[in-house]
Amino acid sequence: MKLYKKGIACFFAFAIMLVFFMGNSDTIYAEEIKTSDLYNKYITVEGKNMRIVMYGNMNENGTNFADMTKTTLVMLPALGVPSPHLYFKPLAQSLEQDFNIVIVEPFGYGLSDLAETDRTVPNINREINAALEILGIRECVLLTHSISGVYGLEFMQTYPEKVKGFIAIDNTVYDKELADAIAMEKEYMLKGIDEFQELRKFFPSIEEFQLELERNPEKYGAALPEITGYTYSESDKSEYVKAYSLSSNETIRNEVNNMDQNLLSIKGEKFPTALPVLTMISSENVENIPAWKSGHENQLDFSSGNHQLYVVEGGHYIWYTNLTQIVQHKCESIS
């Protein structure tokens, strides 16, 4: 299992795991927990609870950002990451002085509910849009990583009034030269989900499984990533174990099974010329996958002056080793 997790993180397009919590009707329903500049919200979308994590100056009631005129950056994760919040936390903390930050944990991820609806691009984006509407976010910059680049491209086309800019971090692109690699990745991920679910069944309860993960995080691949210049807290570790123990669920399996069709939905699609777009791609993927750079270039119009592409040293999770450079590019390019 540990080797499986490492393999997913090393390849170009995805990672895997997660889930939790319950609810009904499209409203902000839930608890808000303030620690420093972090707020958790559980909002009810289509009868289920979705977790949203917000970084930035909040109003007196803690219900929303104090300055709603400040650019809001909405972060969407790679396929099946155990905890979108903790995976993005170093970026969020680095950028919260310049942006209002919203980290979305889609259904099946982190501490959000599972969903029975097919994990298609329209369904996922409808839920994300509903969450932003509930939060009163009328306009934002989307920050996507990996597979969420597919969803983000369609989101921008479906809700153009809501997207004022786009930041793509090694996002997944459609290219016929990548088809075989993507098919292998899908098979690999489904196998990993099966293995993880079998592992979880060995334990009498989820609580006992979590205790074992806490005792031996390295053995089960449940340790938080090492990020250059950043240290996670003990409470972060506890949150990660909880999310990790609930990952590789049936909602994620459904999303993996829909991977091919979801990718086809962006075949030939490009970013609008007038939209500010910053794309940053992994140097390792550029070196190892010939179509990686050209696939990203094909989405952009460099003659417009609004689209930029940078190759950044590192693997698929570029900010793990190059957080400072990622933050610098963002602040220079998108306001």
Side-chain angles (χ1 to χ4, degrees):
M1 176 55 64
K2 178 181 176 184
L3 292 176
Y4 163 69
K5 296 289 188 179
K6 282 189 174 180
I8 285 292
C10 289
F11 196 53
F12 72 89
F14 319 101
I16 110 173
M17 315 288 156
L18 341 281
V19 84
F20 200 59
F21 265 91
M22 301 163 37
N24 45 74
S25 149
D26 292 0
T27 60
I28 294 180
Y29 112 88
E31 67 188 288
E32 294 162 12
I33 308 162
K34 182 174 188 294
T35 16
S36 171
D37 47 7
L38 154 67
Y39 285 79
N40 292 311
K41 287 182 182 290
Y42 294 95
I43 64 176
T44 333
V45 176
E46 299 186 2
K48 298 187 177 293
N49 289 341
M50 181 183 290
R51 185 189 187 215
I52 303 292
V53 184
M54 306 168 75
Y55 284 85
N57 294 326
M58 307 298 288
N59 60 24
E60 290 183 1
N61 299 325
T63 56
N64 219 321
F65 296 110
D67 182 4
M68 291 297 285
T69 64
K70 193 175 182 180
T71 298
T72 298
L73 193 61
V74 175
M75 298 182 171
L76 304 177
L79 180 55
V81 294
S83 174
H85 168 222
L86 295 175
Y87 145 97
F88 276 136
K89 184 178 181 181
L91 269 180
Q93 290 183 323
S94 298
L95 292 167
E96 66 176 309
Q97 296 303 313
D98 300 295
F99 302 93
N100 294 330
I101 308 290
V102 174
I103 300 172
V104 177
E105 295 196 335
F107 292 135
Y109 289 72
L111 302 181
S112 291
D113 277 351
L114 299 176
E116 291 75 36
T117 52
D118 276 343
R119 299 291 83 198
T120 62
V121 173
N123 285 347
I124 290 169
N125 281 341
R126 185 185 66 250
E127 294 158 1
I128 292 170
N129 184 61
L132 298 184
E133 287 292 312
I134 292 165
L135 294 169
I137 296 170
R138 302 289 178 255
E139 192 177 59
C140 69
V141 171
L142 283 182
L143 183 151
T144 67
H145 176 231
S146 199
I147 197 67
S148 65
V150 173
Y151 309 146
L153 190 57
E154 196 269 352
F155 186 95
M156 170 208 66
Q157 293 164 344
T158 306
Y159 310 102
E161 73 288 347
K162 191 152 278 174
V163 182
K164 62 178 286 188
F166 203 107
I167 298 171
I169 302 180
D170 219 39
N171 59 311
T172 304
V173 292
Y174 178 86
D175 190 290
K176 62 181 180 181
E177 291 185 33
L178 300 174
D180 289 343
I182 288 168
M184 289 174 57
E185 184 72 1
K186 178 178 177 179
E187 181 181 350
Y188 190 56
M189 293 186 74
L190 290 172
K191 182 175 183 290
I193 291 171
D194 288 339
E195 290 175 354
F196 193 78
Q197 291 189 357
E198 286 301 312
L199 171 67
R200 190 160 45 205
K201 289 177 185 177
F202 281 120
F203 297 87
S205 68
I206 195 68
E207 290 78 15
E208 291 187 53
F209 184 38
Q210 290 168 354
L211 285 173
E212 177 62 17
L213 293 176
E214 287 178 354
R215 284 191 291 261
N216 298 291
E218 295 290 345
K219 177 180 178 181
Y220 298 103
L224 279 160
E226 294 184 5
I227 297 179
T228 303
Y230 188 86
T231 302
Y232 283 107
S233 68
E234 289 303 313
S235 63
D236 290 337
K237 294 175 184 177
S238 296
E239 179 183 330
Y240 191 72
V241 162
K242 186 176 184 180
Y244 191 92
S245 71
L246 297 160
S247 64
S248 287
N249 52 66
E250 290 306 302
T251 300
I252 298 302
R253 185 194 299 278
N254 185 286
E255 188 175 353
V256 174
N257 277 322
N258 276 294
M259 184 191 303
D260 311 79
Q261 198 59 40
N262 289 343
L263 278 170
L264 278 172
S265 73
I266 63 164
K267 182 178 180 180
E269 297 291 342
K270 298 178 180 292
F271 287 102
T273 299
L275 183 75
V277 178
L278 167 62
T279 296
M280 292 171 280
I281 56 177
S282 154
S283 63
E284 289 184 13
N285 285 338
V286 169
E287 181 178 348
N288 295 327
I289 307 165
W292 196 241
K293 187 176 182 182
S294 60
H296 286 85
E297 289 172 336
N298 290 339
Q299 290 185 331
L300 304 171
D301 176 8
F302 296 108
S303 67
S304 70
N306 293 319
H307 297 175
Q308 300 177 62
L309 184 146
Y310 296 95
V311 177
V312 181
E313 287 297 317
H316 188 46
Y317 296 80
I318 313 172
W319 65 94
Y320 287 4
T321 52
N322 251 320
L323 180 61
T324 301
Q325 189 174 357
I326 294 292
V327 170
Q328 181 181 353
H329 284 322
K330 283 188 180 69
C331 293
E332 288 176 352
S333 305
I334 304 284
S335 60

